[in-house]
């Protein structure tokens, strides 16, 4: 038995670093708790239908604390704060993700900070934003968000 920390692999919609201030890679999670191959396959499926860029409306006026273990397979006890959002493509993304073993993110959201106690956070409200995000595969196998990284999909898709 190997203990997997973090959120395994996932598919993210990432946004430019200057868009919102967070120390980890800024992202909206599409799905997580995936094998690397399933994450790559889901990425390719989404890219084929929707392309690599998807727009997200982020409600920065109303910051939210996200509870620990918010995904079905989540037992890492990490909580976080961030912002909920809205995406016209989310129902379509859910329909695609249902073909894969994953924990789909039912609520469109982006996270600003992770920790183990919601009382440690200082929530910031800001102006709402419309963000052009880029589809990526993420290696999120660590409990330290600063160690999360994007998988270079270009090498895989040129086979």
């Amino acid at each position: 038995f190997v203990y997997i920390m973090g959120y395994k692999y996932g598919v993210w919609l990432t946004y430019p670093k200057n868009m919102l201030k967070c120390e980890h890679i800024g992202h909206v999670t599409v799905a997580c708790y995936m094998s690397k191959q399933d994450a790559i396959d889901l990425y390719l499926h989404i890219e084929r239908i929707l392309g690599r860029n998807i727009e997200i409306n982020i409600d920065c006026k109303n910051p939210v604390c996200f509870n620990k273990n918010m995904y079905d397979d989540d037992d890492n006890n990490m909580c976080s704060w961030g912002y909920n959002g809205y995406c016209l493509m989310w129902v379509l993304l859910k329909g695609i993700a249902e073909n894969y073993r994953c924990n789909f993110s039912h609520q469109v959201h982006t996270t600003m900070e992770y920790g183990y106690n919601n009382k440690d956070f200082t929530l910031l409200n800001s102006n709402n934003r419309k963000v052009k995000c880029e589809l990526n595969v993420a290696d999120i196998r660590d409990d330290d968000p600063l160690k999360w990284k994007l998988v270079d999909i270009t090498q895989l898709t040129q086979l």
Side-chain angles (χ1 to χ4, degrees):
F1 177 76
V2 176
Y3 176 68
I4 301 285
M5 298 184 299
Y7 299 90
K8 292 184 157 184
Y9 285 90
V11 174
W12 282 356
L13 295 168
T14 58
Y15 47 80
K17 195 156 185 58
N18 62 352
M19 190 58 65
L20 292 165
K21 187 171 172 20
C22 56
E23 295 193 7
H24 56 276
I25 298 167
H27 66 278
V28 172
T29 301
V30 175
C32 56
Y33 286 100
M34 302 181 77
S35 71
K36 186 175 185 179
Q37 190 59 55
D38 278 345
I40 291 166
D41 291 346
L42 175 57
Y43 166 93
L44 292 171
H45 194 158
I46 293 169
E47 182 192 39
R48 192 170 61 245
I49 295 172
L50 298 175
R52 277 198 191 129
N53 294 301
I54 296 174
E55 198 169 79
I56 306 284
N57 292 297
I58 301 175
D59 178 7
C60 299
K61 291 187 188 300
N62 298 293
V64 180
C65 276
F66 300 115
N67 292 327
K68 297 177 179 183
N69 308 330
M70 66 186 274
Y71 295 102
D72 291 345
D73 295 318
D74 194 346
D75 60 3
N76 62 27
N77 291 323
M78 289 169 63
C79 54
S80 57
W81 80 270
Y83 307 106
N84 285 326
Y86 177 76
C87 174
L88 290 171
M89 299 295 153
W90 213 252
V91 172
L92 189 53
L93 287 167
K94 180 181 181 190
I96 296 169
E98 286 173 346
N99 296 296
Y100 298 88
R101 289 181 60 158
C102 67
N103 287 192
F104 181 75
S105 180
H106 295 283
Q107 173 60 57
V108 180
H109 70 282
T110 188
T111 302
M112 296 296 99
E113 191 177 4
Y114 292 86
Y116 292 96
N117 189 336
N118 277 337
K119 292 181 181 73
D120 296 338
F121 301 139
T122 302
L123 280 59
L124 302 171
N125 45 355
S126 177
N127 293 324
N128 290 346
R129 291 180 172 83
K130 189 176 285 199
V131 184
K132 184 178 180 183
C133 296
E134 183 181 354
L135 191 65
N136 278 288
V137 174
D139 177 347
I140 39 184
R141 295 176 295 166
D142 202 290
D143 279 348
D144 180 354
L146 299 181
K147 293 182 179 170
W148 296 344
K149 54 191 177 280
L150 302 180
V151 174
D152 183 359
I153 198 90
T154 56
Q155 299 168 345
L156 303 166
T157 56
Q158 293 172 348
L159 301 175

